[in-house]
Amino acid sequence: MSDFLKVSRDGDVVIATIDNPPVNALSFHVREPLMQALVALRDDASVAAIVIACAGRTFVAGADITEFGKPMQQPELRAIVATLETIAKPTVAAIHGTALGGGLELALGCHFRVADAGAKLGLPEVKLGLLPGGGGTVRLPRLVGAVKALRMIVSGTPVGATEAHAAGLVDAVFEGDLTTHAVNFAREIARKGGPFRSVRDRNEGLKETDLAAFDAEAADLARKARGLEAPIACAQSVRNAVTLPFDAALAAERALFVKLVGSDQSRAQRHLFFAEREAAKLAGKDTKRRIARVGVIGAGTMGGGIAMAFANGDYPVTLLETSHEALQRGLATIDRNYSVSVTRGSLSEDAKRQRLDQFKGSTDYADLADCDLIVEAVFEDMAVKKEVFGKLDAVAKPGAILATNTSYLDINEIAASTSRPQDVLGLHFFSPANVMKLLEIVRADKTALDALATVVDLARRIGKVAVVVGVCHGFVGNRMLAARGSESEALLLEGATPSQIDQVFTDFGWPMGPFQMGDLAGLDIGWRNRKARGLSAVIADTLCEQGRFGQKTGRGFYLYENGSRTPATDPEVEVLIRDKAAEKGIAPRAISAEEIIERTLYPLINEGAKILEEGIAARASDIDVVWVNGYGFPVGKGGPLFWAGLEGPGKIIERLEYWHQRTGKDVFKPAPLLKRMAETGSWEAGG
């Protein structure tokens, strides 16, 4: 019937198979023949039942999001689902792989759903700043109940076939040839006779809804949304399914969808969706090296986390330390971390044992000889790093990739200390490395393309979001972080307080402000880095000299009393700030939220423009991916350079020039690329 839809028969059961690789997205060229086939099959008396299946590795994994924001070509998904509901003979969705978004909504249009045991089902539209627009918020609660639907839709997290079956979303789960099982299931249902109720007519899941409990859960989810509109709209739409007639709830869902799809937040989240995929692409040849075993040098917080990240991705790991005692401490910490996951229910005891079995501890560099990738995570000091790489040069096998986890140091210099600079690159993990998604992959001048391609692919396999960056002090993320924080002390000395600045950040949408973040990470880290570079920060340095390193010492910019992780304002810090201001002859004044934004986030954007101009990042969207996944930039604002477009580059330049004139600081001098972006509306260097 079409290149994208195959219709076949097994006796009186018809199988309509969607074939639109790679993920069977519901593009127009799928929807059109599917609609035609359903109308014809509905009216064909020789057909007893219809099975909707998919070719390839998955059921329909969603809509074609490249069509969002454009005039929708008919028929759209809602019309197809409505047509399915006019069919009197049984319709069965045969789900393998993933049924996500529009794919699950298509399945909800069928009378029945059967699934392969490994299938996953979900409505992840919230992650694009949207809600399910094809009836998902109205039909799903009718099968699984309002609270379960609320959790699934607001989290966007898919559920497995077994859980879906237990909840009533799936009618049967099969092992083996799913299409054959689905055809037999459909034939047996047809033999028993109808009438067959569509999901829209099944209200069992709604009858027992406790609206007060629902509203309490929805309110809790709204708090966690931190200003994102889509989770709140999702909750409202599921509530409408309970309180409104079906068609009214469907119309309300559509109105909410249309409002969201045109919003800046959804544009930002869709931008990030494509940006993450674009960041993983490399120009040039794509041959890769084989990675069978990974070595990690250093079993401290960072090294242990990196080792866990690889073990979690099913890679055996040789973990090296300088002493047996340090090695045992590191392995014990890893064991404890996995035990916490078991306690929380996110890992089984069997899975924990399997993960721990991946580790081989050692204090002998010779034990790294069979590793295909070796990551050093030792002290952030060039001499120490070079010593480690000298030892690796002697023992690592030919073709092994040698990676440094440095946050700042010159990887070209490290590579030059080996006889194999083509095998050296940076893998900048973020702490905790087994949890944080971002991985900055640093390409040195002589890094071989196949080594780079290997680690980009490896990042995906261990669940990381990879961004390839160039060599400069701090790479992309930390270099921009330094620009963001360059005025922090000046703002304090001029009259702002740590809690005021942090509040401006959390109001903007950050998970925490810079001073709370500093206390969490440990103020001594920045202190050591400043001392190594001959820099100073009068307030932060004084706090460190007093032994106030943040949460780990119970005191930093804030107080953390009795082991609490909640920051409390410390009058002593405010006195210290005023005393230091007086020493410098600075009279305190009122500082507005707008000024704080202009002196922190505008320099962040300006530095991003410089990084782009220098070719340290390949794309503006790569910088956005780094900042959203590694530093907590609000998802709903799309990353710093996307947000600059919303904020207005002309306005940003005008305020940067004002502060540059007032302070003379280079951090405020507008980058040429930022000025070009204001003129052309594009971050591309050519305009």
Side-chain angles (χ1 to χ4, degrees):
M1 183 170 192
S2 153
D3 289 342
F4 302 99
L5 184 77
K6 307 293 188 294
V7 178
S8 58
R9 291 187 74 127
D10 185 327
D12 56 357
V13 177
V14 170
I15 306 105
T17 304
I18 296 168
D19 188 4
N20 183 27
V23 295
N24 291 312
L26 282 176
S27 310
F28 167 71
H29 52 250
V30 170
R31 298 193 305 272
E32 185 179 48
L34 179 60
M35 181 69 141
Q36 292 170 356
L38 291 175
V39 170
L41 295 170
R42 177 188 64 189
D43 301 332
D44 186 340
S46 70
V47 176
I50 302 166
V51 172
I52 297 179
C54 287
R57 58 186 172 89
T58 184
F59 192 73
V60 174
D64 183 345
I65 70 169
T66 62
E67 296 180 356
F68 288 172
K70 301 175 184 175
M72 180 62 70
Q73 291 180 279
Q74 299 299 327
E76 61 175 293
L77 174 60
R78 291 179 303 151
I80 293 171
V81 172
T83 298
L84 271 168
E85 291 176 332
T86 68
I87 299 175
K89 57 197 78 175
T91 54
V92 179
I95 299 167
H96 75 291
T98 54
L100 300 177
L104 181 53
E105 289 176 308
L106 176 66
L108 288 168
C110 296
H111 297 109
F112 304 97
R113 285 144 299 285
V114 300
D116 176 83
K120 291 188 178 298
L121 301 86
L123 294 169
E125 286 87 347
V126 71
K127 295 177 181 178
L128 296 177
L130 299 170
L131 54 68
T137 65
V138 186
R139 290 184 178 88
L140 183 63
R142 286 171 155 73
L143 295 181
V144 305
V147 171
K148 175 74 171 176
L150 175 74
R151 291 170 182 163
M152 284 181 64
I153 294 169
V154 171
S155 73
T157 305
V159 299
T162 303
E163 183 179 344
H165 186 218
L169 175 54
V170 164
D171 297 284
V173 178
F174 297 113
E175 300 270 5
D177 185 346
L178 179 64
T179 302
T180 299
H181 284 301
V183 167
N184 292 338
F185 178 92
R187 183 175 287 119
E188 180 62 20
I189 291 288
R191 187 185 63 76
K192 291 177 181 176
F196 306 103
R197 286 194 307 155
S198 63
V199 173
R200 67 174 287 146
D201 297 324
R202 293 170 60 177
N203 294 320
E204 298 92 323
L206 304 180
K207 287 178 181 174
E208 303 300 319
T209 304
D210 179 341
L211 268 181
F214 177 92
D215 288 343
E217 179 126 4
D220 185 49
L221 291 167
R223 278 192 298 276
K224 292 174 181 173
R226 284 208 306 264
L228 290 175
E229 298 159 1
I232 295 166
C234 287
Q236 180 59 52
S237 201
V238 175
R239 194 181 197 280
N240 290 341
V242 180
T243 60
L244 298 178
F246 182 87
D247 288 323
L250 211 57
E253 177 194 83
R254 190 62 188 174
L256 286 167
F257 177 85
V258 169
K259 181 180 178 184
L260 288 173
V261 82
S263 69
D264 285 343
Q265 281 194 6
S266 181
R267 282 179 53 222
Q269 288 177 258
R270 298 196 311 264
H271 159 76
L272 289 168
F273 177 86
F274 288 114
E276 287 187 13
R277 281 145 189 79
E278 197 66 27
K281 294 178 182 175
L282 279 178
K285 66 177 182 175
D286 200 25
T287 53
K288 301 179 186 72
R289 305 183 191 183
R290 180 173 176 269
I291 304 294
R293 174 172 282 277
V294 176
V296 177
I297 302 173
T301 301
M302 183 55 79
I306 292 170
M308 287 177 69
F310 285 111
N312 295 347
D314 210 25
Y315 286 92
V317 177
T318 300
L319 185 60
L320 187 86
E321 256 297 354
T322 52
S323 70
H324 181 75
E325 293 74 21
L327 178 63
Q328 291 309 308
R329 275 198 308 273
L331 290 170
T333 300
I334 289 168
D335 191 310
R336 279 198 304 276
N337 288 340
Y338 281 132
S339 294
V340 169
S341 297
V342 172
T343 303
R344 289 175 177 166
S346 58
L347 198 69
S348 68
E349 278 288 355
D350 280 348
K352 175 191 167 183
R353 276 194 296 273
Q354 288 169 11
R355 301 270 174 93
L356 290 173
D357 286 345
Q358 299 279 29
F359 291 92
K360 181 176 86 173
S362 175
T363 57
D364 186 351
Y365 271 80
D367 286 337
L368 298 173
D370 62 344
C371 293
D372 305 289
L373 165 68
I374 304 169
V375 185
E376 70 74 15
V378 301
F379 191 66
E380 188 79 344
D381 177 89
M382 180 60 80
V384 175
K385 302 277 191 191
K386 283 184 174 180
E387 182 186 349
V388 167
F389 272 80
K391 292 176 180 176
L392 288 181
D393 206 18
V395 302
K397 64 185 181 182
I401 297 171
L402 310 182
T404 173
N405 179 58
T406 180
S407 305
Y408 294 95
L409 299 177
D410 184 346
I411 296 172
N412 287 319
E413 188 178 338
I414 294 172
S417 71
T418 74
S419 63
R420 47 173 103 181
Q422 73 278 3
D423 297 330
V424 178
L425 46 75
L427 289 180
H428 180 206
F429 287 83
F430 286 69
S431 187
N434 54 308
V435 176
M436 292 292 285
K437 287 284 190 185
L438 180 66
L439 178 59
E440 274 187 320
I441 298 175
V442 190
R443 180 181 194 168
D445 290 347
K446 295 185 178 178
T447 303
L449 187 56
D450 66 335
L452 200 63
T454 302
V455 294
V456 168
D457 181 64
L458 187 64
R460 178 183 58 79
R461 293 175 185 271
I462 64 171
K464 301 299 182 188
V465 176
V467 180
V468 177
V469 302
V471 175
C472 66
H473 185 79
F475 316 124
V476 168
N478 283 341
R479 176 173 160 183
M480 290 174 68
L481 184 67
R484 191 192 80 174
S486 63
E487 286 288 276
S488 292
E489 292 242 336
L491 284 164
L492 293 178
L493 292 167
E494 290 171 37
T497 64
S499 58
Q500 180 196 1
I501 294 171
D502 283 352
Q503 185 68 52
V504 169
F505 271 70
T506 54
D507 288 348
F508 185 84
W510 297 86
M512 64 181 70
F515 297 105
Q516 192 180 347
M517 186 185 80
D519 276 1
L520 178 64
L523 300 180
D524 52 320
I525 296 172
W527 188 37
R528 277 203 309 269
N529 185 45
R530 285 191 298 277
K531 285 197 287 189
R533 299 181 67 208
L535 302 175
S536 64
V538 61
I539 297 164
D541 289 354
T542 303
L543 292 176
C544 290
E545 287 160 8
Q546 295 173 354
R548 302 178 64 120
F549 296 154
Q551 281 192 21
K552 59 189 170 187
T553 58
R555 302 185 310 159
F557 279 101
Y558 296 98
L559 272 179
Y560 303 89
E561 295 175 306
N562 302 318
S564 171
R565 292 181 174 272
T566 304
T569 299
D570 187 346
E572 288 184 22
V573 173
E574 298 198 2
V575 169
L576 169 66
I577 292 168
R578 298 285 73 83
D579 287 348
K580 293 296 182 184
E583 285 175 20
K584 291 179 174 290
I586 301 170
R589 61 181 175 83
I591 292 180
S592 68
E594 289 75 20
E595 179 177 340
I596 291 168
I597 293 287
E598 289 172 7
R599 293 174 67 181
T600 56
L601 300 192
Y602 288 8
L604 174 79
I605 290 160
N606 198 42
E607 198 66 29
K610 293 174 187 175
I611 283 168
L612 200 55
E613 205 163 42
E614 294 166 21
I616 300 299
R619 294 165 283 257
S621 59
D622 287 0
I623 292 174
D624 291 335
V625 170
V626 165
W627 270 84
V628 167
N629 287 282
Y631 295 86
F633 195 95
V635 169
K637 289 184 168 66
L641 297 195
F642 183 87
W643 177 69
L646 300 178
E647 181 77 346
K651 173 188 174 185
I652 293 169
I653 289 166
E654 186 269 319
R655 298 310 295 164
L656 284 171
E657 287 176 336
Y658 169 83
W659 289 110
H660 184 240
Q661 186 177 23
R662 183 163 168 174
T663 67
K665 294 178 180 176
D666 281 347
V667 75
F668 292 119
K669 185 177 181 181
L673 185 59
L674 181 58
K675 291 183 174 181
R676 200 174 306 130
M677 195 275 182
E679 294 165 2
T680 65
S682 170
W683 284 110
E684 296 295 325

